[in-house]
Amino acid sequence: MTQIRTDWTGEEIAGLFDLPFTELLFQAATIHREFHPPEQIQLCTLLSIKTGGCPEDCGYCSQSVKADSGVEATKLMEVQSVLQRAAQAKDSGSQRFCMGAAWRNPKDRDMPAIVEIVKGVRAMGLETCMTLGMLTPKQADMLKEAGLDYYNHNVDTGPEYYERVISTRNYQDRLDTLQNVRDAGINVCSGGIVGMGETREDRVGFVHTLATLERHPESVPVNALVPVKGTVLDDMLADTPLAKIDDIEFVRTVAVSRITMPMSMVRLSAGRESMSEATQALCFMAGANSIFTGDKLLTAPNAGDDSDAALFAKLGLTALAQEEPMRACRVAEPAE
């Protein structure tokens, strides 16, 4: 039985990245099958419930006020409109409904509507996930009382590269919100973005941060940067060899995430629409077992339900029909 560890060293994780590719995939696939049904993929839907106008300066984000991306700021969606979209997601086979708001942090005046949305979506039998920026302990407690299943707050990258991407908050701010979420009893969804010009050493730092949390995130989204014209990172990386991460290196990141966090759902997230079917298949072999469905992720394009159905049929995959392992057994005790 594979031991769940939270004492990984950076050297150990770097060693996994350095393994021959086929050996790395074999190890990841073996561990994946120990904890997850290998032919089942969790289907999630992501909706932007408040788009644009974010005061943060995240270099990858088209919703930042610092970006010249053409994304217009909107107000928070009406509760009923969100619930209609959730019902459509459920009809399409989604298990989890994720909602994102382009805020640095929610204001207290926004919380009643957010609470009503969470309650309404849960009443449909869907898992609920929200990403609203930084949270105070009080706000986290309110979301827990409303019944929120997951809160997403990505660490984005490794701690050494972080300040190259964002200056309006620091790495500890990210970790503090994750702790507030965990203390409130809400499941944690936290991952990051690769292909932002970082080195493999930075990707080691990214995985190390998550794999050494007191309890691993229940969900770990691994995103490939989707360069958006007018954002800092698109302007910086355009027409350079760093403009797109190598597919094999991306799969390595998925595999190392699976090995170090065996029970977590590893989500193949943004950037999937530009990946070949073969690359996606390698990601599933490496332990990715969750995807976003639909044609859009917040403001970025996504593969779409029809192409996903065709890929699933080709690969013999089906939608996840059971609860995720970490939630099913409630807690994965860290190694002594």
Side-chain angles (χ1 to χ4, degrees):
M1 180 74 175
T2 298
Q3 186 179 41
I4 307 300
R5 295 177 50 193
T6 58
D7 61 350
W8 291 94
T9 66
E11 291 75 16
E12 286 177 306
I13 294 173
L16 292 174
F17 268 99
D18 289 340
L19 284 173
F21 185 66
T22 52
E23 175 60 24
L24 176 62
L25 255 63
F26 176 76
Q27 290 191 24
T30 301
I31 289 173
H32 182 71
R33 280 158 174 72
E34 187 175 338
F35 294 96
H36 306 270
E39 76 290 349
Q40 294 186 24
I41 306 294
Q42 182 187 56
L43 303 182
C44 310
T45 298
L46 177 60
L47 173 68
S48 178
I49 60 174
K50 192 278 172 191
T51 303
C54 181
E56 303 276 26
D57 67 354
C58 305
Y60 52 80
C61 187
S62 63
Q63 301 194 68
S64 168
V65 294
K66 308 293 184 183
D68 186 20
S69 60
V71 173
E72 296 184 5
T74 67
K75 295 181 179 180
L76 181 65
M77 287 178 64
E78 296 292 333
V79 173
Q80 194 56 43
S81 297
V82 176
L83 298 184
Q84 289 173 352
R85 297 290 292 274
Q88 293 168 3
K90 183 177 182 181
D91 289 343
S92 296
S94 283
Q95 183 185 54
R96 186 182 303 178
F97 193 63
C98 307
M99 296 156 278
W103 287 323
R104 174 177 170 81
N105 52 274
K107 302 293 190 296
D108 287 343
R109 66 173 181 268
D110 301 313
M111 293 304 296
I114 293 296
V115 165
E116 191 174 348
I117 288 171
V118 172
K119 290 180 177 179
V121 175
R122 281 208 84 211
M124 296 179 188
L126 284 165
E127 290 181 356
T128 52
C129 180
M130 282 198 161
T131 178
L132 312 171
M134 295 184 289
L135 288 183
T136 65
K138 178 182 177 182
Q139 290 170 334
D141 287 341
M142 291 177 68
L143 292 173
K144 172 62 177 177
E145 187 176 350
L148 185 69
D149 296 292
Y150 288 83
Y151 193 80
N152 167 258
H153 199 63
N154 292 336
V155 297
D156 285 345
T157 186
E160 292 79 13
Y161 195 70
Y162 185 84
E163 64 183 19
R164 299 276 302 275
V165 180
I166 302 161
S167 69
T168 46
R169 72 174 87 170
N170 60 43
Y171 210 66
Q172 190 58 48
D173 291 331
R174 298 270 179 180
L175 298 177
D176 289 345
T177 286
L178 292 181
Q179 191 60 55
N180 291 340
V181 169
R182 186 62 85 194
D183 288 347
I186 300 171
N187 295 296
V188 168
C189 174
S190 187
I193 306 170
V194 296
M196 297 193 292
E198 80 283 351
T199 64
R200 177 179 283 185
E201 185 178 3
D202 296 316
R203 289 187 281 278
V204 169
F206 155 61
V207 175
H208 181 260
T209 295
L210 298 174
T212 56
L213 292 174
E214 184 177 353
R215 181 179 175 187
H216 295 156
E218 280 77 4
S219 290
V220 179
V222 182
N223 301 271
L225 178 69
V226 179
V228 178
K229 189 173 180 58
T231 59
V232 172
L233 283 177
D234 180 71
D235 294 344
M236 182 177 78
L237 301 177
D239 301 320
T240 75
L242 298 175
K244 184 180 186 301
I245 190 170
D246 175 78
D247 286 346
I248 297 299
E249 186 69 12
F250 183 84
V251 178
R252 283 185 182 275
T253 307
V254 171
V256 174
S257 298
R258 168 52 66 217
I259 292 170
T260 55
M261 295 172 278
M263 297 183 74
S264 302
M265 303 297 291
V266 176
R267 182 177 301 130
L268 185 57
S269 297
R272 191 168 63 86
E273 83 291 339
S274 62
M275 294 178 189
S276 68
E277 290 185 340
T279 297
Q280 292 183 65
L282 284 173
C283 287
F284 296 138
M285 284 185 63
N289 60 343
S290 178
I291 63 170
F292 282 122
T293 62
D295 298 319
K296 183 178 285 190
L297 301 182
L298 298 179
T299 60
N302 192 38
D305 295 338
D306 291 343
S307 59
D308 287 339
L311 178 61
F312 275 34
K314 186 177 293 188
L315 299 179
L317 300 174
T318 58
L320 181 69
Q322 61 193 60
E323 194 166 38
E324 309 95 290
M326 284 187 73
R327 291 191 65 195
C329 63
R330 281 302 173 203
V331 65
E333 293 292 342
E336 294 296 336

